[in-house]
Amino acid sequence: MAARRISSLISASLLLSTGRNPSRGRSIYRFSTATVAEELITPPVQISYTQHLINGQFVDAASGKTFPAYDPRTGEVIAHVAEGDAEDINRAVAAARKAFDEGPWPKMIPYERSRILLRFADLVDKHNDELAALETWNNGKPYQQSAKSEVPMLSRLFRYYAGWADKIHGLTVPADGNYHVQTLHEPIGVAGQIIPWNFPLILFAWKVGPALACGNTVVLKSAEQTPLTALYAAKLFLEAGLPPGVLNVVSGYGPTAGTALASHMDVDKLAFTGSTETGKIVLELAAKSNLKPVTLELGGKSPFIVCEDADIDKAVELAHFALFFNQGQCCCAGSRTYVHERVYDEFLEKAKARAMRRVVGDPFKKGVEQGPQIDSEQFQKVLRYIKSGIEGNATLECGGERFGSKGYFIQPTVFSNVQDNMPIAQDEIFGPVQSILKFKEVDEVIRRANTTRYGLAAGVFTKNIDTANTVSRGLRAGTVWVNCFDVFDAAIPFGGYKMSGIGREKGIYSLNNYLQVKAVVTPLNNPAWL
């Protein structure tokens, strides 16, 4: 997130060695594993919160079960976390329901709700380093990214929503006849929320912030891969004075805890971020239960379009950032790099050189740009896609293999001569794999960019304002970045077209997800005016 801050962290270089790909008769550049071989830094934080937060108390799972949380740098277990199932979801929903129906939160003066959100943001600032260390330890993203961008963004988002808490209001509506008509914007009730593992803290804010600002109560299920920071943040909310039951956090697996939350008859609204395939299941479960409204922020395969008039050096750096940021584990990653045929060769050589300079290693070390993938499953998935690209006759320009011998590190990988029908150009890889495609005409690239089931985001790099306007309006995507990428201001709405989701996160639009609109009509006798 916050492209302008993160891009400043990119630096240093890798030792390179050269191997030859006999099947293609060309040099394929490999990467030194020296960085990975060095001793890993011990994270400067203790893991203190591993239980569910239900009704203002940290409690064990009803079953007594736990599940392991891992360090993706090594694959080793770093904590055992309470494993929630249907009974834990029932307890959490009951607490949230009571807090909504009987508790102070929805009845609280909006300004008081705002003050609690602001106190939480202050505590986030105070505990920035601990939150960042936990995020990096459990997720694998660079510590500098966590500490300098993502935790500050968590604070910023809650300050933004704190500002909305006392500014939510309805309208008076003119009607035919002698009637006074007003609309009320009311909290929807108990919000069930399911967040993913790639940006645990940021997505915590995207979900919890607007729900609480609107006066709702929340049951949040964290991703089983990254449960630690949501629990730490929940502890800070208690310290900020949030009443018991307003925010409940349950750790657990999707098929058990996630299914129970999506199916629960006493949950009034559901919000999910994750894969498109899982999003379909969530939507079906919500419909089959109590037809609760659902917002979905799902997968993407975002085009990054480099026009012939682009500043190539800037375009290369931006395209590199758009794809490799967060180990490529970003739903809006610019994973289809379309380059005009007149500048294709120059762009390719510079993109390959930039990928080979990317610093991979222990994410706690200063200067490291890329840490490990989240877990073994994602690691193997990315390697399978790389294999499919090679077998499909795309040209492997660099990378393509494991980095080091421990943990889930993958070499920054660049493919050229990629065709639109290849899996690496169609599927969401969620890894450090850049696919570079060639185009000739603007109309052609718009058509090709839109030929996908996704429509989450896109980027266009050009000096021509007419081209920028034509492409940005022609692309069927929820966000189009022009000469920038991954700019995530708190006020900018984010969400997708087509199978990339339903609804919008962030900004004023996100409030609509957590409000009901009620029309109140009252007769007027002898009104002075209508």
Side-chain angles (χ1 to χ4, degrees), residues 67-347:
F67 67 93
Y70 296 95
D71 179 350
R73 301 177 303 166
T74 62
E76 297 172 355
V77 176
I78 57 175
H80 288 88
V81 181
E83 181 181 335
D85 58 22
E87 179 56 32
D88 301 286
I89 293 295
N90 287 339
R91 290 191 295 163
V93 172
R97 171 55 60 197
K98 184 176 181 180
F100 184 80
D101 292 343
E102 303 174 20
W105 190 250
K107 301 174 185 178
M108 188 179 291
I109 295 171
Y111 176 62
E112 293 302 319
R113 289 205 300 265
S114 174
R115 292 180 65 189
I116 289 175
L117 297 181
L118 290 172
R119 284 201 294 270
F120 171 74
D122 289 340
L123 289 168
V124 168
D125 292 341
K126 180 179 178 181
H127 295 277
N128 182 96
D129 293 350
E130 298 100 304
L131 281 163
L134 276 179
E135 191 83 330
T136 291
W137 195 5
N138 197 191
N139 176 277
K141 64 183 61 190
Y143 176 76
Q144 292 299 309
Q145 176 183 322
S146 297
K148 302 298 184 183
S149 181
E150 295 191 18
V151 178
M153 180 60 76
L154 171 71
S155 171
R156 175 68 181 92
L157 284 160
F158 274 98
R159 294 183 193 282
Y160 174 83
Y161 285 112
W164 269 116
D166 60 354
K167 299 173 185 66
I168 297 168
H169 55 77
L171 302 170
T172 56
V173 181
D176 294 340
N178 292 355
Y179 299 99
H180 172 73
V181 183
Q182 61 180 323
T183 60
L184 303 177
H185 291 183
E186 301 180 345
I188 200 166
V190 176
Q193 302 179 328
I194 303 173
I195 60 174
W197 48 259
N198 56 333
F199 293 100
L201 284 172
I202 297 297
L203 272 298
F204 178 94
W206 285 17
K207 296 288 189 291
V208 175
L212 294 187
C214 291
N216 300 279
T217 58
V218 171
V219 176
L220 180 135
K221 191 200 86 67
S222 56
E224 57 266 31
Q225 297 90 343
T226 53
L228 300 179
T229 47
L231 293 171
Y232 195 103
K235 172 259 185 186
L236 296 181
F237 253 124
L238 294 181
E239 191 174 335
L242 193 71
V246 174
L247 173 63
N248 306 272
V249 178
V250 176
S251 307
Y253 294 100
T256 49
T259 295
L261 186 59
S263 304
H264 207 287
M265 294 296 291
D266 215 18
V267 170
D268 300 305
K269 187 267 180 306
L270 192 67
F272 170 82
T273 295
S275 72
T276 296
E277 291 70 25
T278 306
K280 291 180 180 179
I281 297 171
V282 166
L283 189 60
E284 182 179 10
L285 292 171
K288 286 183 175 180
S289 53
N290 59 344
L291 204 63
K292 61 180 72 67
V294 179
T295 50
L296 302 171
E297 196 260 285
L298 306 176
K301 191 68 178 175
S302 301
F304 185 101
I305 299 169
V306 180
C307 298
E308 61 180 311
D309 65 338
D311 181 318
I312 296 302
D313 290 335
K314 291 182 179 179
V316 164
E317 188 62 39
L318 197 63
H320 178 88
F321 171 73
L323 185 283
F324 291 102
F325 171 60
N326 206 53
Q327 293 70 250
Q329 296 171 153
C330 189
C331 55
C332 58
S335 52
R336 290 182 294 153
T337 308
Y338 288 97
V339 182
H340 194 277
E341 61 181 11
R342 292 180 183 171
V343 294
Y344 183 88
D345 290 342
E346 179 186 0
F347 181 95

